[in-house]
Amino acid sequence: MRTLCSSTLIGEFFVIGFAGLVAMKDPDLSTSTVWTVCGVAMFLSVLLCGVVTRPGGVALGWALQIALVASGFFVPTMFFMGVLFGALWWASVHYGKKIDEAKARFAAQAAASPASPAGSSADTADAV
């Protein structure tokens, strides 16, 4: 789950940064408002990459997604982006858990299966 969720957060980082550049063109928004909202969101996205696998990390990710939707009150484009990011976060968590379960199952099967006799080092040593 770490790889998928972290990739999602880094993707959000870049999209929010580019959205901030576009939002600066809006005459109704001040540059400081845009970069405060976008800068905090970008910082939190990167910070969450490091804690996503710790207890509460996924919940913090959800808090970020909710905050992104709420930031739409300051930068209206963020409503749309926040909803898209929330859906992407759900998919990352959902499918990330499935991938982790499949990897654990594969590792358990590999550990339980006997080693191939032709490739083991003990057989090679006996033959010499």
Side-chain angles (χ1 to χ4, degrees):
M1 182 173 71
R2 178 183 174 88
T3 303
L4 197 53
C5 289
S6 294
S7 299
T8 298
L9 290 167
I10 293 298
E12 287 182 14
F13 170 85
F14 284 109
V15 171
I16 291 168
F18 290 131
L21 292 172
V22 172
M24 283 180 30
K25 302 280 186 191
D26 188 343
D28 297 333
L29 298 172
S30 71
T31 303
S32 61
T33 300
V34 170
W35 283 117
T36 299
V37 169
C38 292
V40 168
M42 291 169 69
F43 174 75
L44 291 175
S45 293
V46 171
L47 184 66
L48 269 171
C49 285
V51 297
V52 75
T53 58
R54 297 212 164 121
V58 173
L60 286 173
W62 279 114
L64 173 65
Q65 306 314 315
I66 292 167
L68 289 174
V69 173
S71 70
F73 289 110
F74 303 101
V75 180
T77 307
M78 292 301 288
F79 279 124
F80 175 70
M81 286 178 43
V83 170
L84 287 177
F85 287 154
L88 187 58
W89 182 251
W90 175 86
S92 297
V93 170
H94 178 73
Y95 293 111
K97 285 180 182 178
K98 287 186 177 219
I99 290 168
D100 287 349
E101 290 168 3
K103 286 167 94 177
R105 216 173 21 252
F106 180 73
Q109 288 173 351
S113 67
S116 169
S120 70
S121 60
D123 290 340
T124 308
D126 290 340
V128 173

